Amino acid sequence: MPSVKVRFAPSPTGFLHIGSARTALFNWLFARHEQGQFFLRIEDTDKERSKKEFLDEILESLKWLGLDWDGEPVFQSARTAFYRQTAEKLIGKNLAYPEENAVRFRMPKTGKVAFQDLLHGQIEFDLTQHISLAEDLVIFKSDGSPTYNFAVVCDDADMGITHVIRGDDHISNTPKQLPLYEALGFRPPVFCHIPLILGEDRSRMSKRHGATAIREYQEAGCLSEALVNYLSLLGWSPGNNQEIIGRDELIQKFELRRVLKTGAVFNKEKLEWLNGQYVRKLAIPDLTDKLVPYLEKRGYAVSDRAWLERLVLLFQERIFSLAQFPDLAQFFFEDKITYNDEAAKEFLKDGRLAKAFESYAALLEGLGDFNTKTIEEKSRTLMKDLGMSGKEFIHPCRVAVTGRSVSPGFFETVSLLGKEKAVERLRQAAQFVQKKRAEGGI
Ligand code: GLU
């Protein structure tokens, strides 16, 4: 058995689509599992549509996903002479012929093209029944560039590819490629056509269903480990309902034969959940490093790293994506907060609040130690003195200092906000309540 050689062959005519990324991942996992090689081939023969920025983005996305390739990428645009020579050989054997400036390959006209697909089993095409197969195949276009089907066969044979793992949408190309292998005297690789990724409505995953570019997932704060884990489960499973599976374990357990034949439905909620699981597992310094760019993008620069790590710890259990963090933690960074309507209504339910906010501001202002424990102890004493329950006191105070009715642990939040902000916001809330009361409600 020759060692496994597979390739991922993107065309740089767009970003890295989530479906292509899954194809790349399955190739990569298979290669790593078999201790074979995973090559990258850039199918850039379409000069008009191929763009450097797409290529850069594809490479960037593959690197971000950790799908490292062996050797240097092969560029089809640099191999025209090789395709030309190969076409000449076919012409020499009268298996192909020039037609104006193009070259056509003489497709067999009768019989069947059959192959054993690793997932789908025997697949047969009756050559007399498929109109698209009846015509002689253009292998060189009149503009001097090779066609997809021809370049792919030349390259897969030349690169010694043992397994072609690609999307189901290429099944119909295989009967065009197999006669070329035969004519060229090459042994065909094993084909494995994997099902497409579908949207919730079971049609092919597209922009309608949500983000399709890997870069969009990256920007939205997906962790690459979580996305790799998620993509691996689209059409494959390690068994025993295991859902969280790290890279090394994936490599160890991945079996191409166990990929499902039917389309896999993309489920955004599941990806979010999985991402949350990976966020929880990160060490705080690591998670902090990953969150800093998202803060910077919002213009939140933080010089106190220890403070930031405490803040990150406070939110680690609450975020599902990195991009959520600046939103959820906004009130720590902005000077001014606004109360949302619902939250502000809470303020007017209890006539004691203006006084409670004032007293609390005074208490916090007088504290020497602004740590969570001290704040909690003193706050509880104040509540007792004011004759208020924890709920009666903490809930409105949370709105006062955060502007929101939901936040992480209150006392830790106050401590992290710092004395100045907490005191100022409580006083602002006291004034707000008095003013609204004077005006006769909200
Ligand atoms: N360039 C083709 C694509 O992006 C590759 C198909 C193949 O793997 O043969 O779909």
Side-chain angles (χ1 to χ4, degrees):
M1 196 41 196
S3 87
V4 158
K5 287 185 182 167
V6 294
R7 77 327 190 254
F8 175 56
S11 305
T13 53
F15 48 72
L16 184 63
H17 186 278
I18 188 127
S20 306
R22 204 245 338 220
T23 301
L25 174 64
F26 281 13
N27 273 285
W28 182 84
L29 284 174
F30 179 60
R32 296 294 172 250
H33 177 83
E34 297 289 336
Q35 288 166 350
Q37 285 172 298
F38 170 71
F39 297 115
L40 188 57
R41 185 170 72 225
I42 308 302
E43 308 215 316
D44 55 353
T45 53
D46 186 335
K47 292 191 193 74
E48 292 282 295
R49 291 174 58 228
S50 299
K51 297 263 182 314
K52 166 95 168 62
E53 56 266 36
F54 291 137
L55 172 65
D56 290 344
E57 183 173 326
I58 291 170
L59 298 183
E60 195 47 53
S61 292
L62 288 172
K63 281 185 205 154
W64 178 70
L65 289 169
L67 306 184
D68 53 337
W69 54 89
D70 294 297
E72 291 298 317
V74 171
F75 287 85
Q76 287 191 327
S77 58
R79 291 162 65 84
T80 315
F82 162 64
Y83 306 129
R84 185 55 80 182
Q85 275 166 16
T86 314
E88 293 298 339
K89 270 188 213 155
L90 291 177
I91 295 174
K93 290 191 204 157
N94 196 27
L95 295 170
Y97 56 92
E99 188 188 69
E100 300 187 0
N101 287 327
V103 180
R104 276 184 190 269
F105 168 68
R106 293 188 201 282
M107 277 293 283
K109 299 289 178 299
T110 53
K112 282 180 189 157
V113 178
F115 65 98
Q116 195 65 26
D117 188 279
L118 201 67
L119 286 190
H120 299 273
Q122 175 86 357
I123 298 186
E124 289 184 358
F125 291 86
D126 188 331
L127 290 171
T128 53
Q129 297 205 348
H130 288 266
I131 318 261
S132 71
L133 299 178
E135 271 184 14
D136 285 344
L137 189 72
V138 177
I139 57 174
F140 256 93
K141 293 185 258 182
S142 51
D143 68 1
S145 60
T147 58
Y148 157 72
N149 281 308
F150 186 56
V152 157
V153 171
C154 294
D155 286 336
D156 283 339
D158 186 56
M159 292 165 75
I161 299 301
T162 57
H163 296 72
V164 166
I165 305 165
R166 60 185 172 197
D168 258 358
D169 49 336
H170 284 289
I171 288 187
S172 60
N173 283 319
T174 312
K176 298 177 188 163
Q177 295 173 8
L178 281 165
L180 280 168
Y181 277 98
E182 195 173 330
L184 290 164
F186 299 144
R187 206 180 121 161
V190 173
F191 288 98
C192 177
H193 290 94
I194 56 178
L196 300 174
I197 298 181
L198 309 176
E200 303 263 307
D201 59 0
R202 302 199 71 87
S203 69
R204 188 178 180 166
M205 172 91 180
S206 70
K207 279 210 177 333
R208 261 178 328 116
H209 302 107
T212 48
I214 292 301
R215 179 179 43 83
E216 292 175 86
Y217 287 90
Q218 183 180 3
E219 284 171 2
C222 222
L223 295 170
S224 63
E225 299 292 314
L227 190 55
V228 162
N229 186 154
Y230 181 71
L231 289 177
S232 76
L233 298 179
L234 281 177
W236 177 79
S237 114
N240 344 312
N241 291 327
Q242 185 182 358
E243 306 221 281
I244 298 180
I245 175 162
R247 194 177 291 266
D248 292 342
E249 201 181 347
L250 267 178
I251 293 175
Q252 188 204 328
K253 294 194 171 161
F254 186 77
E255 270 182 85
L256 198 51
R257 283 172 197 282
R258 291 197 48 189
V259 172
L260 300 176
K261 285 192 209 103
T262 47
V265 175
F266 189 85
N267 179 331
K268 195 165 166 263
E269 286 73 37
K270 184 159 171 197
L271 172 59
E272 267 168 17
W273 172 80
L274 206 54
N275 203 52
Q277 303 304 305
Y278 278 83
V279 167
R280 321 268 179 275
K281 284 205 284 188
L282 285 177
I284 291 299
D286 205 6
L287 179 55
T288 306
D289 286 344
K290 291 190 188 322
L291 289 170
V292 165
Y294 291 88
L295 292 175
E296 284 174 349
K297 224 161 111 190
R298 280 293 183 88
Y300 300 156
V302 181
S303 49
D304 185 345
R305 174 78 186 195
W307 176 83
L308 184 57
E309 291 196 2
R310 270 181 73 198
L311 189 67
V312 169
L313 179 63
L314 192 61
F315 280 91
Q316 185 175 34
E317 294 292 321
R318 302 181 153 250
I319 53 177
F320 284 90
S321 81
L322 304 179
Q324 277 180 318
F325 182 60
D327 276 333
L328 288 178
Q330 188 189 29
F331 56 87
F332 282 98
F333 297 98
E334 303 280 352
D335 282 336
K336 288 253 166 301
I337 50 163
T338 47
Y339 316 116
N340 66 42
D341 288 350
E342 193 119 338
K345 272 190 204 133
E346 287 290 324
F347 278 176
L348 297 183
K349 284 191 187 150
D350 187 334
R352 297 170 293 179
L353 285 178
K355 181 169 174 284
F357 291 155
E358 285 291 359
S359 316
Y360 196 27
L363 175 131
L364 293 179
E365 197 168 38
L367 282 185
D369 248 339
F370 214 68
N371 63 47
T372 310
K373 192 162 164 277
T374 311
I375 293 171
E376 172 153 14
E377 278 167 16
K378 302 283 179 191
S379 306
R380 295 216 183 269
T381 311
L382 178 67
M383 283 178 229
K384 260 205 208 114
D385 293 348
L386 293 169
M388 294 174 91
S389 70
K391 204 170 156 234
E392 286 168 337
F393 179 81
I394 293 174
H395 191 58
C397 285
R398 167 178 287 130
V399 177
V401 297
T402 68
R404 301 171 186 212
S405 34
V406 192
S407 81
F410 175 69
F411 300 110
E412 177 72 353
T413 297
V414 171
S415 165
L416 274 166
L417 263 178
K419 189 189 279 189
E420 202 181 315
K421 272 202 170 108
V423 168
E424 195 188 297
R425 287 180 186 178
L426 285 163
R427 295 213 161 115
Q428 184 197 323
Q431 274 174 17
F432 176 87
V433 172
Q434 273 160 349
K435 191 164 158 260
K436 288 289 171 188
R437 285 210 165 267
E439 286 167 3
I442 295 177

